[in-house]
Amino acid sequence: MPPPPRAGGAGGMTTFDKLKMGAMMGSSVGLIIGFIFGSVNIIRFGAGPNGLMRTLGQYMLGSGATFGFFMSIGSAIRMEGSPIASEAFARARRQPTILPRQPTRLPEKER
């Protein structure tokens, strides 16, 4: 859930705020995925010479850093709207043009 808008300034979030939020979300997801995959690999192949906690921590930190990096970049890119996309969105959201119904004329034979 995004934070509430600030009372004093503009209501929108800055690019840096979006970048931070994307990094936090991506890191959280990456840590969970790293925990799951790391646990499965430790169960399957053993912890190795580094031990259980260090091996699991490496999986979690590596996955969290990767997910956080790409999610923060994706959030920042998504915030920057292109003029083409903005125009297409505005065009899709405008009210439809309703034309008046044209009276139909019957052919001369049917009159």
Side-chain angles (χ1 to χ4, degrees):
M1 186 166 153
R6 296 183 190 114
M13 296 177 68
T14 64
T15 304
F16 187 67
D17 289 339
K18 283 280 199 176
L19 195 77
K20 288 190 302 186
M21 191 168 70
M24 290 299 292
M25 287 191 305
S27 298
S28 300
V29 170
L31 286 174
I32 294 168
I33 295 296
F35 177 77
I36 293 169
F37 287 145
S39 298
V40 168
N41 279 335
I42 288 172
I43 290 170
R44 287 179 69 195
F45 304 114
N50 291 332
L52 176 73
M53 293 306 286
R54 185 169 179 161
T55 303
L56 185 60
Q58 284 178 340
Y59 275 106
M60 290 174 68
L61 287 177
S63 181
T66 304
F67 269 78
F69 176 72
F70 286 112
M71 188 75 159
S72 65
I73 291 175
S75 296
I77 289 173
R78 184 181 167 119
M79 184 176 176
E80 299 173 1
S82 79
I84 296 171
S86 299
E87 181 194 348
F89 180 74
R91 200 173 331 124
R93 297 287 300 167
R94 72 175 179 216
Q95 293 292 326
T97 305
I98 300 175
L99 299 175
R101 183 175 177 192
Q102 299 293 325
T104 56
R105 295 184 65 190
L106 296 175
E108 295 295 325
K109 294 179 185 177
E110 295 181 12
R111 285 188 185 178

Short mmCIF file of all heavy atoms in Angstrom, two decimals, residues 12 14 18 26 28 34 37 55 59 63 66 69 88 91 93 105-106:
data_model
loop_
_atom_site.label_atom_id
_atom_site.label_comp_id
_atom_site.label_asym_id
_atom_site.label_seq_id
_atom_site.Cartn_x
_atom_site.Cartn_y
_atom_site.Cartn_z
N GLY A 12 1.96 13.78 -5.34
CA GLY A 12 2.64 12.69 -6.02
C GLY A 12 3.96 12.32 -5.38
O GLY A 12 4.56 13.08 -4.63
N THR A 14 7.98 11.30 -5.67
CA THR A 14 9.09 11.64 -6.53
C THR A 14 9.66 10.36 -7.14
O THR A 14 9.33 9.25 -6.72
CB THR A 14 10.19 12.37 -5.74
OG1 THR A 14 10.71 11.47 -4.75
CG2 THR A 14 9.64 13.61 -5.06
N LYS A 18 9.80 6.44 -5.60
CA LYS A 18 9.39 5.24 -6.33
C LYS A 18 10.53 4.25 -6.43
O LYS A 18 10.33 3.04 -6.33
CB LYS A 18 8.92 5.61 -7.75
CG LYS A 18 7.56 6.21 -7.80
CD LYS A 18 6.54 5.11 -7.71
CE LYS A 18 5.23 5.64 -8.24
NZ LYS A 18 4.22 4.61 -8.26
N GLY A 26 11.14 -5.35 -4.15
CA GLY A 26 11.93 -6.37 -4.82
C GLY A 26 12.84 -7.11 -3.86
O GLY A 26 13.00 -8.33 -3.96
N SER A 28 12.31 -7.61 -0.67
CA SER A 28 11.48 -8.48 0.17
C SER A 28 11.13 -9.76 -0.57
O SER A 28 11.25 -10.87 -0.03
CB SER A 28 10.20 -7.76 0.58
OG SER A 28 10.50 -6.59 1.29
N GLY A 34 14.82 -16.40 -2.22
CA GLY A 34 16.13 -16.93 -1.87
C GLY A 34 16.06 -17.91 -0.71
O GLY A 34 16.76 -18.92 -0.70
N PHE A 37 14.42 -21.21 -2.33
CA PHE A 37 15.34 -21.94 -3.20
C PHE A 37 16.59 -22.39 -2.44
O PHE A 37 17.10 -23.49 -2.69
CB PHE A 37 15.73 -21.11 -4.41
CG PHE A 37 14.64 -20.97 -5.42
CD1 PHE A 37 14.48 -19.80 -6.13
CD2 PHE A 37 13.76 -22.01 -5.67
CE1 PHE A 37 13.49 -19.65 -7.06
CE2 PHE A 37 12.75 -21.88 -6.60
CZ PHE A 37 12.61 -20.70 -7.31
N THR A 55 25.44 -20.46 3.83
CA THR A 55 24.96 -20.85 2.50
C THR A 55 23.57 -20.29 2.26
O THR A 55 23.29 -19.72 1.20
CB THR A 55 24.95 -22.38 2.36
OG1 THR A 55 26.27 -22.87 2.62
CG2 THR A 55 24.52 -22.80 0.98
N TYR A 59 22.33 -17.34 -0.57
CA TYR A 59 21.18 -17.46 -1.49
C TYR A 59 20.21 -16.29 -1.30
O TYR A 59 19.76 -15.68 -2.27
CB TYR A 59 20.42 -18.78 -1.24
CG TYR A 59 20.98 -19.96 -1.97
CD1 TYR A 59 21.69 -20.95 -1.30
CD2 TYR A 59 20.78 -20.12 -3.34
CE1 TYR A 59 22.19 -22.05 -1.96
CE2 TYR A 59 21.29 -21.22 -4.01
CZ TYR A 59 22.00 -22.17 -3.31
OH TYR A 59 22.49 -23.26 -3.98
N SER A 63 19.68 -13.28 -4.11
CA SER A 63 18.37 -13.16 -4.73
C SER A 63 17.71 -11.82 -4.38
O SER A 63 17.11 -11.17 -5.25
CB SER A 63 17.49 -14.33 -4.27
OG SER A 63 16.23 -14.26 -4.85
N THR A 66 19.36 -8.94 -6.38
CA THR A 66 18.99 -8.98 -7.80
C THR A 66 17.56 -8.51 -8.01
O THR A 66 17.29 -7.65 -8.87
CB THR A 66 19.17 -10.40 -8.35
OG1 THR A 66 20.51 -10.82 -8.12
CG2 THR A 66 18.87 -10.45 -9.84
N PHE A 69 17.24 -4.72 -7.25
CA PHE A 69 17.84 -3.88 -8.29
C PHE A 69 16.90 -3.73 -9.48
O PHE A 69 16.59 -2.62 -9.92
CB PHE A 69 19.18 -4.48 -8.72
CG PHE A 69 19.84 -3.73 -9.85
CD1 PHE A 69 20.40 -2.49 -9.64
CD2 PHE A 69 19.90 -4.29 -11.11
CE1 PHE A 69 21.01 -1.81 -10.68
CE2 PHE A 69 20.51 -3.63 -12.15
CZ PHE A 69 21.07 -2.39 -11.93
N ALA A 88 -2.43 8.23 -25.68
CA ALA A 88 -3.28 7.07 -25.92
C ALA A 88 -4.21 6.81 -24.74
O ALA A 88 -5.39 6.48 -24.92
CB ALA A 88 -2.42 5.84 -26.20
N ARG A 91 -6.92 9.47 -24.80
CA ARG A 91 -7.86 9.21 -25.88
C ARG A 91 -8.81 8.06 -25.51
O ARG A 91 -9.99 8.09 -25.84
CB ARG A 91 -7.08 8.85 -27.16
CG ARG A 91 -7.90 9.03 -28.40
CD ARG A 91 -7.11 8.84 -29.69
NE ARG A 91 -5.70 9.17 -29.60
CZ ARG A 91 -4.72 8.31 -29.92
NH1 ARG A 91 -5.01 7.10 -30.34
NH2 ARG A 91 -3.47 8.67 -29.83
N ARG A 93 -9.80 7.32 -22.52
CA ARG A 93 -10.64 7.71 -21.40
C ARG A 93 -11.64 8.82 -21.72
O ARG A 93 -12.47 9.16 -20.89
CB ARG A 93 -9.77 8.18 -20.23
CG ARG A 93 -8.86 7.14 -19.67
CD ARG A 93 -9.57 6.12 -18.87
NE ARG A 93 -10.23 6.77 -17.76
CZ ARG A 93 -11.14 6.22 -17.00
NH1 ARG A 93 -11.54 5.01 -17.24
NH2 ARG A 93 -11.69 6.87 -16.02
N ARG A 105 -34.91 7.34 -44.86
CA ARG A 105 -35.85 7.63 -45.95
C ARG A 105 -36.22 6.34 -46.62
O ARG A 105 -35.37 5.53 -46.98
CB ARG A 105 -35.20 8.57 -46.95
CG ARG A 105 -34.90 9.93 -46.33
CD ARG A 105 -34.35 10.88 -47.31
NE ARG A 105 -35.37 11.15 -48.31
CZ ARG A 105 -35.16 11.80 -49.43
NH1 ARG A 105 -33.96 12.22 -49.72
NH2 ARG A 105 -36.14 12.01 -50.28
N LEU A 106 -37.50 6.13 -46.79
CA LEU A 106 -37.98 4.94 -47.46
C LEU A 106 -37.85 5.12 -48.97
O LEU A 106 -37.97 6.24 -49.48
CB LEU A 106 -39.44 4.67 -47.11
CG LEU A 106 -39.70 4.34 -45.63
CD1 LEU A 106 -41.19 4.23 -45.41
CD2 LEU A 106 -39.00 3.09 -45.23
#
